[in-house]
Structure formats: structure tokens, C-alpha cells
Amino acid sequence: MKPRGKLSKADLARAAERLRHSNPVNHFGFQLVKAERGRAIFRMPVLELHKQIHRVVHGGVLAMLADTAGGFAAFLAAPSGSRVVTIEMKINFLEAVEHGEIKADARVLRQGRTTSVVDCDVTDQDGRLVSKALMTFSILPPKPQGR
């Protein structure tokens, strides 16, 4: 993996284009806070649509936020034009979140030729670790044009 650091203008444009077409980002209100090679931080204000019957953020929403941040970190570390898809995810839910803001900080631990392993801490506005995820992503070559 290339060392962490700032992204080139081309990489930033590629990242912006990817976010523009992400349904989870757009529907659930995920906001990119930081992007660098192999790392992505997203924030999410807690909304009513995120909560389950007990009035806390649904675990699936926390997992989707972690998966989005992890996939984006892997995408930023992958060769230009690559596609990144989740092939495995393990998450621990540690604390309930009722309100405020949640942040997912994802970092690539190991970038290989065909897979990327990513760790993600999800914290609440008080800095409590509310979930911890470990994910594996497949790094796929670009789709052939015209297919």
C-alpha cells in the first residue's frame, strides 16, 4: 500500500464522483469528514430514520456507516479505476446511541493486490467507542467499457 497522505486532485475528483452516486451516503445523511490514501472518516447526525423500536440507532445503520467508511478507505488505497466490494464484515456493537452524532474512522490495515483488510472505529459525540468493525474488501479491475 502507498503510504497514507494527501490525495492528488485526480484522486479527490474520483472520490467525489463515487460519493455522488452512493445511495447509503445520500439517503442516510453520511458526510465525509476526511479522506486520505487508506483512510476515511464519515460522520452521521442521528435522525429518527436511524432508530429502531427501542429508540436507539439500529445496528444495521451502524454497520452500514462502518461498511461505507471502510469501503471508501479501501477504494482510496486501491489502484485507480478499481472497484471495491465487501466480501466479509465482523462488527461488535458496544454501546447504544440515542442522539447526537456518530463518527466512523476507517483505516486500511493491509492492502494486497486483490484484497484489502480494514479496521473501523465507530464513536459517538462523546468519544465513546460504540462499535468496532473489521472488514475485508475484494479489489476488482475496472469494468470493461461497453458492458
Side-chain angles (χ1 to χ4, degrees):
M1 182 176 102
K2 295 177 185 175
R4 285 198 178 96
K6 292 188 177 186
L7 298 168
S8 69
K9 286 183 181 182
D11 287 336
L12 286 172
R14 185 170 65 111
E17 181 66 17
R18 174 137 176 150
L19 286 178
R20 192 170 28 259
H21 297 289
S22 172
N23 289 328
V25 167
N26 295 319
H27 181 74
F28 285 95
F30 301 166
Q31 300 162 356
L32 181 64
V33 174
K34 184 174 188 174
E36 59 186 41
R37 195 163 314 286
R39 183 175 183 205
I41 300 174
F42 280 82
R43 67 180 282 281
M44 178 194 86
V46 174
L47 305 173
E48 286 303 308
L49 72 102
H50 300 136
K51 295 180 181 181
Q52 42 91 310
I53 196 166
H54 300 292
R55 312 307 307 146
V56 297
V57 176
H58 191 283
V61 174
L62 294 173
M64 188 181 342
L65 180 63
D67 185 48
T68 299
F72 204 67
F75 171 76
L76 294 172
S80 184
S82 296
R83 295 174 294 144
V84 175
V85 296
T86 310
I87 56 175
E88 183 271 339
M89 178 179 193
K90 185 251 188 276
I91 188 165
N92 288 98
F93 302 107
L94 306 170
E95 300 283 345
V97 180
E98 296 177 9
H99 54 79
E101 183 177 282
I102 301 169
K103 181 175 74 171
D105 186 347
R107 296 170 188 257
V108 173
L109 299 177
R110 176 73 176 194
Q111 180 73 30
R113 193 175 47 78
T114 60
T115 60
S116 182
V117 176
V118 180
D119 176 77
C120 185
D121 288 342
V122 181
T123 56
D124 68 6
Q125 66 186 17
D126 297 325
R128 293 183 315 155
L129 185 64
V130 298
S131 64
K132 177 79 168 176
L134 184 65
M135 299 160 280
T136 306
F137 297 89
S138 180
I139 309 300
L140 304 170
K143 278 187 176 180
Q145 293 297 326
R147 290 187 187 196

